[in-house]
Structure formats: structure tokens, C-alpha cells
Amino acid sequence: MSKTHFFHFLHFSFRKYPLSTCCLVLIGLLSFTPFFPETPFDEVQFMDKWTHLVMYGGTTSVIWWEYLRHHQQLDKRKLVLWALLGMIILGGIVELLQAYCTTTRSGEWLDFYADTVGVLLGNAIGLIWYKMR
């Protein structure tokens, strides 16, 4: 993909799916931030896993919401590709990059599982929204 095509794709994505694009950028930024300040939530057991579940589930739900806002007909192939497989693959790639390309973050299988559970829940919410409209 050429640089021009990439920027055209980004422009199209942001114009049609601005919240989804912002959520994806936010996942990227948070996933590679070298450190976070301490908070009272650090004491909550599995807080990191809950965070992964909410980030990926929330983003998947936003993808569904914006898709349903722009389309009357449900294109199952597109949603399976982007809202299911794409988000699960993103979670896997982020964990691999954290494990092998950073010195301040670690990739963990449990994080990937939490990402996947979040994506599945987000897709369930999207299907419920679709059936309710």
C-alpha cells in the first residue's frame, strides 16, 4: 500500500467512523505508553485484565454502533472481518509487539485472552443493537 493510499484510507476511516478510529488510536497509544502513574485502582485484582476487556469490548461496540448508523443492511463478512477477526488480530499483534519490541512493556497471554473476551462481548452487544432496531 502506497503512502497516498494509506492516508486516503485514514481520511475515509476517520470521516465515516470517527469514534472507532479514535478508539483504535487510543488503544495504540495506551498499549505502548512506557509507564502509568500509580492509582488506587492498582490494588484491584486483575485490573489490567479488566482494562483490556473494557478497551477492546468498548472499541468493538463502537465499531458496531457506527456501522449500524451508516448501513441499513448488515454485511456479515465485513463485520466478522473488522469487528471480530480484525480486533482479535489487533490484540495479538499488540501483545507480540509489547513482548518483542519494547523494553518497558510485556506481552501476556492473559492480556490477549482479555482482549478476545472483550471483542466477543462487544460483538454480542452489537448483535443485540442490530436486532433491537
Side-chain angles (χ1 to χ4, degrees):
M1 178 182 281
S2 73
K3 195 176 186 180
T4 305
H5 286 95
F6 178 72
F7 286 115
H8 177 68
F9 175 75
L10 283 180
H11 179 346
F12 169 78
S13 298
F14 192 74
R15 191 170 38 92
K16 195 161 186 181
Y17 302 101
L19 294 176
S20 300
T21 304
C22 288
C23 287
L24 291 168
V25 168
L26 188 60
I27 285 175
L29 291 173
L30 292 174
S31 296
F32 296 102
T33 299
F35 63 90
F36 289 99
E38 290 188 26
T39 70
F41 293 112
D42 292 340
E43 303 303 318
V44 176
Q45 191 173 18
F46 302 115
M47 187 61 187
D48 176 49
K49 307 317 174 227
W50 287 110
T51 303
H52 280 261
L53 187 140
V54 169
M55 281 193 332
Y56 280 79
T59 299
T60 302
S61 297
V62 169
I63 290 170
W64 268 88
W65 179 73
E66 286 189 317
Y67 181 87
L68 293 173
R69 198 179 70 173
H70 289 288
H71 303 278
Q72 288 299 95
Q73 291 291 90
L74 190 71
D75 186 343
K76 291 178 184 175
R77 289 182 311 157
K78 280 185 183 176
L79 283 166
V80 165
L81 178 66
W82 294 109
L84 183 66
L85 296 177
M87 288 299 295
I88 291 172
I89 290 168
L90 175 66
I93 289 171
V94 165
E95 293 305 317
L96 289 171
L97 289 173
Q98 286 179 336
Y100 297 109
C101 298
T102 69
T103 57
T104 58
R105 303 300 297 259
S106 63
E108 297 179 24
W109 280 107
L110 286 178
D111 287 351
F112 177 65
Y113 296 146
D115 298 343
T116 302
V117 170
V119 169
L120 294 174
L121 288 173
N123 276 285
I125 290 168
L127 279 170
I128 291 168
W129 284 340
Y130 173 69
K131 293 187 186 253
M132 287 176 48
R133 62 178 207 166

